[in-house]
Amino acid sequence: MNKTLYFGIRNTLCVAVLATMMGCAEHQPAIQPQTFASQEMLPQAGVEPSDAKGILQRMANYLVKIPKFTVDLSDSYDTVQASGQKLEFAAIRKVIVNRPNGLRVEHEESHGEKNVVLYDGKDITVFSPNKNIYAQVAKPGGIDEAVKYFLKDLNMRLPLAMLLVSQLPAELDSRTESLDYVEKTSIHGKPAHHLAGRTETVDYQVWIAEGAQPLPLRVVLTYKLAEGQPQFRAQFSDWNLAPQLNDAQFAFTPPEGAKKIAFLAQLPSIVPGASEVPAHPGEKQ
């Protein structure tokens, strides 16, 4: 079965990288309680608005001000077969962010393939433990610059990448053509606002926690211009806004016997046209 019609990765590692955050068990709370000391260090979300745009922008502005966090994601995505049949595949992810320079995404697909993406303020590394191979490129400048370079220059995939960068409020504002408040509901018992937005290429739904910590709890993307209109779904859990982090979590030390390879986008002369493969129709990264 073809798993790459929708989300494949076009590098020599064949890594399905960062969608940015996932994994949740029904019995687990969506947001971990914080200590009094850590709460004092967290940004204040301000008064909760009642309109859809205000709720969305409050979430975006709150998220980009959090200095460090970890979150798990459980995601699934459709792949449209040549016959037109849709198949659903799944993955779990753990995202660790330590602004401005630390980013780590651990990713495991349903068939067992594991990959790790690391950024330490100097280098972007993608490591495949299953194959014991890695690709690495220097990119100083911080998470924003690294994510932009990862997507545009290395031609890699990074679903929900906007959630990682400081331009999130502006990106949502500029891309969203319409936005509606659907309903007030709950995700795993947590009161949430359900919003539905439309961009030029993607329809999206987002569930945002109600209250003082307006974090995303669930996201559904519909690639409306792609054949079969496949969807990507991500469920967020175990938000930790005061994790204990250290620099070693973001640096890469090659394991014994690990082989270094190049990103496909770095090899146009060896693989003609490889870096010119267009994104999946209708998909914006």
Side-chain angles (χ1 to χ4, degrees), residues 12-270:
T12 48
L13 283 171
C14 298
V15 187
V17 189
L18 321 187
T20 336
M21 328 171 196
M22 14 248 109
C24 67
E26 291 287 339
H27 65 281
Q28 294 176 328
I31 304 171
Q32 292 184 348
Q34 307 297 313
T35 65
F36 181 75
S38 63
Q39 284 184 343
E40 288 185 328
M41 299 173 62
L42 293 176
Q44 300 300 308
V47 178
E48 189 164 31
S50 58
D51 64 296
K53 183 176 181 180
I55 293 170
L56 185 69
Q57 285 296 316
R58 181 171 180 258
M59 178 275 291
N61 282 295
Y62 181 71
L63 189 58
V64 300
K65 292 176 183 175
I66 300 171
K68 57 183 180 179
F69 65 82
T70 66
V71 64
D72 295 335
L73 289 89
S74 172
D75 63 42
S76 64
Y77 53 94
D78 297 331
T79 64
V80 183
Q81 306 300 297
S83 65
Q85 183 181 15
K86 290 181 186 176
L87 299 181
E88 183 181 68
F89 295 94
I92 57 174
R93 261 170 262 259
K94 186 174 188 67
V95 176
I96 303 172
V97 172
N98 189 20
R99 304 186 196 281
N101 292 324
L103 175 63
R104 179 186 182 98
V105 180
E106 302 169 4
H107 174 271
E108 181 175 356
E109 295 202 51
S110 53
H111 64 285
E113 180 72 22
K114 297 179 181 178
N115 297 286
V116 182
V117 178
L118 298 154
Y119 180 66
D120 61 359
K122 298 178 293 183
D123 298 317
I124 302 170
T125 305
V126 181
F127 174 57
S128 171
N130 300 66
K131 301 180 177 67
N132 203 22
I133 57 176
Y134 68 99
Q136 189 175 66
V137 63
K139 188 59 188 174
I143 293 175
D144 283 11
E145 292 300 318
V147 169
K148 183 188 300 183
Y149 185 79
F150 190 80
L151 296 175
K152 295 185 176 180
D153 294 270
L154 297 180
N155 204 23
M156 301 285 283
R157 300 289 181 91
L158 184 53
L160 304 182
M162 277 198 306
L163 296 180
L164 297 173
V165 300
S166 62
Q167 301 95 331
L168 175 62
E171 289 285 340
L172 287 175
D173 188 55
S174 64
R175 295 192 188 194
T176 300
E177 297 177 342
S178 67
L179 182 67
D180 293 306
Y181 189 99
V182 180
E183 63 177 356
K184 182 178 289 188
T185 183
S186 66
I187 301 292
H188 303 309
K190 178 71 179 178
H193 303 286
H194 179 188
L195 310 181
R198 310 198 78 176
T199 72
E200 182 180 357
T201 59
V202 176
D203 287 348
Y204 67 86
Q205 299 178 71
V206 57
W207 288 257
I208 297 171
E210 185 181 14
Q213 294 183 337
L215 296 165
L217 302 179
R218 187 167 188 252
V219 170
V220 175
L221 307 178
T222 302
Y223 294 89
K224 57 187 180 182
L225 302 184
E227 186 175 356
Q229 297 195 337
Q231 288 190 324
F232 169 85
R233 312 163 197 88
Q235 199 96 358
F236 300 70
S237 69
D238 290 339
W239 280 100
N240 185 347
L241 308 187
Q244 297 296 316
L245 304 178
N246 59 73
D247 292 343
Q249 290 175 272
F250 308 101
F252 180 70
T253 301
E256 184 177 355
K259 180 181 179 181
K260 185 177 181 180
I261 63 174
F263 289 99
L264 185 59
Q266 297 175 315
L267 302 172
S269 60
I270 298 176

